[in-house]
Amino acid sequence: MTGKRLLRTATVVTGGLALASSLTACGGGSSAADSEGGEKVVTVYSADGLKSEKGDGWYDKVFADFTKKTGIEVKYVEGGSGEMVQRAVREKTNTQADVLITLPPFIQQADGKGLLQPYKPQGSEKVNGADKAADGKWTSVVKNYFGFVYNKKELAEAPKTWEELLDAKYKGKLQYSTPGVAGDGTAVLIKSMHDFGGQEPAMEYLKKLQANNVGPSSSTSKLAPKTDKGELLVANGDVQMNFAQSKSMPNLGIWFPAKEGGKPTSFALPYAAGLVDKAPHTENGKKLLDFLLSEEAQQLVSGVGGGFPARTDVKPTDANAVELTKLMTGVEIFEPNWADIDKNLTGYVDAWKSATGS
């Protein structure tokens, strides 16, 4: 990444999923202690969205089940996808995390920086090829899609096009998270370049949109509450996180922008997990990855997490699963060229900074 990084302080969850203040004490070890009955702990660095402040999110449930089943405590740190990768990079000489979970293209970025070691979790053979690395460096654990949110109370219906967002009524009432820092913020660039047909027309549009934009936000999850309260009319997000948030935010609606004259589009933005290279608790990390892809955990993805199972053989029929299927009906799904995005991300972010004056 180049230029000034806009990072929010990583959320450190205390209690059963706590990141102990003595975290550094668990760095730099080998996996031998784990297999010999050593420290019963596993540390997860993750993009936000799967853990609930109320304690009823997918992570809350599956981590508790995992601890009950194995006796291994989950220590958890969350932040923006880019933030978690950068933190892991800084700690390469004294590794803290065992499992890293981010949105694309940051999981590919983590791999490119040598942060991940190969491991194909049990059940990963049931994950689509596009949702995992062929060499086992990462595997999606929750399927997800990029989207936007709007305030249903203030707006009679959701906007339909990107062009509508240039209207003066959105001035100071629109915000999207920072590309290059937040996974969903980077997704704004990816979708706009797809919808407008390339980098140059996308940047021309985002330059115009900047007149209405509140400004940078390193955390996408903070934008939904602002939208629900009416502080914002429109913000970016992702389907899983926003669907889960909508259960306690009655004014929150999900929509997918289209280019004028085109169809609404989206793309898969899964939570992808990898085993950290030289992890202090490698064997425990493997056990957690196995559990996250187990049928037991995958069946809970929609009903508890508001997302989509990563395993193609797990097909929930709960009310959330039905509602999510309906939400995605009519949305054209495209597949980004992640190799290109990983290679050229810095250039795309620099172009965005130049266009928007950010």
Side-chain angles (χ1 to χ4, degrees):
M1 302 301 222
T2 59
K4 183 179 178 182
R5 293 177 64 247
L6 300 166
L7 300 181
R8 70 180 175 88
T9 303
T11 301
V12 181
V13 183
T14 57
L17 307 179
L19 178 73
S21 59
S22 59
L23 178 61
T24 52
C26 65
S30 71
S31 62
D34 302 337
S35 59
E36 295 169 4
E39 202 172 12
K40 302 281 282 185
V41 66
V42 61
T43 298
V44 177
Y45 283 9
S46 177
D48 50 5
L50 290 173
K51 191 180 188 306
S52 167
E53 291 182 3
K54 295 183 177 181
D56 57 358
W58 189 68
Y59 275 162
D60 301 283
K61 172 63 174 169
V62 296
F63 287 171
D65 290 348
F66 174 73
T67 299
K68 184 176 180 180
K69 183 176 181 178
T70 65
I72 299 170
E73 178 191 3
V74 180
K75 295 183 177 181
Y76 176 74
V77 183
E78 73 172 30
S81 289
E83 180 182 0
M84 292 295 92
V85 172
Q86 291 302 323
R87 180 166 179 162
V89 168
R90 293 194 300 270
E91 295 170 352
K92 278 187 78 171
T93 58
N94 185 26
T95 308
Q96 308 296 312
D98 301 301
V99 172
L100 179 67
I101 303 176
T102 78
L103 306 181
F106 294 98
I107 196 67
Q108 291 90 343
Q109 185 183 86
D111 184 19
K113 292 180 180 295
L115 294 176
L116 306 176
Q117 59 175 301
Y119 179 65
K120 296 182 179 181
Q122 296 175 24
S124 61
E125 70 280 0
K126 301 294 186 180
V127 176
N128 272 331
D131 296 328
K132 61 186 177 184
D135 61 1
K137 291 287 187 67
W138 56 268
T139 307
S140 297
V141 292
V142 172
K143 189 120 178 181
N144 191 18
Y145 296 92
F146 178 60
F148 274 65
V149 291
Y150 74 104
N151 182 292
K152 295 192 293 186
K153 184 178 179 182
E154 299 293 331
L155 298 175
E157 60 180 10
K160 291 183 174 58
T161 67
W162 287 104
E163 287 82 359
E164 284 182 55
L165 301 182
L166 300 177
D167 192 282
K169 74 178 180 181
Y170 293 106
K171 186 174 180 62
K173 291 285 189 176
L174 175 149
Q175 191 173 18
Y176 59 90
S177 51
T178 308
V181 175
D184 289 323
T186 305
V188 172
L189 292 187
I190 295 169
K191 178 171 158 57
S192 61
M193 286 192 293
H194 171 271
D195 289 0
F196 285 95
Q199 177 181 318
E200 188 174 334
M203 297 309 158
E204 288 177 7
Y205 168 79
L206 292 171
K207 181 178 181 178
K208 296 175 185 176
L209 186 65
Q210 195 66 10
N212 289 344
N213 188 17
V214 171
S217 171
S218 59
S219 171
T220 312
S221 63
K222 292 181 178 178
L223 302 183
K226 292 181 180 180
T227 305
D228 179 64
K229 293 174 186 174
E231 294 174 26
L232 299 172
L233 291 177
V234 170
N236 70 315
D238 62 68
V239 173
Q240 176 277 323
M241 178 173 64
N242 295 144
F243 186 84
Q245 289 171 317
S246 70
K247 298 303 180 181
S248 59
M249 299 179 189
N251 299 320
L252 201 66
I254 300 172
W255 68 291
F256 304 91
K259 187 178 183 301
E260 205 164 54
K263 294 181 178 180
T265 67
S266 184
F267 61 95
L269 201 60
Y271 290 88
L275 186 65
V276 177
D277 187 44
K278 298 182 178 64
H281 311 101
T282 293
E283 295 307 313
N284 293 348
K286 290 178 179 179
K287 290 176 183 177
L288 179 61
L289 289 171
D290 289 347
F291 190 77
L292 294 179
L293 274 179
S294 67
E295 288 190 51
E296 175 186 350
Q298 290 288 299
Q299 284 287 355
L300 299 173
V301 168
S302 57
V304 175
F308 306 80
R311 286 179 55 153
T312 58
D313 62 329
V314 175
K315 302 183 185 300
T317 56
D318 57 87
N320 282 356
V322 173
E323 195 173 343
L324 286 163
T325 299
K326 183 179 178 182
L327 177 67
M328 299 304 298
T329 300
V331 180
E332 187 176 274
I333 305 299
F334 66 92
E335 187 173 314
N337 184 337
W338 291 115
D340 170 77
I341 293 163
D342 180 40
K343 180 181 177 181
N344 297 301
L345 179 60
T346 298
Y348 294 147
V349 172
D350 286 346
W352 170 80
K353 288 178 180 178
S354 177
T356 60
S358 299

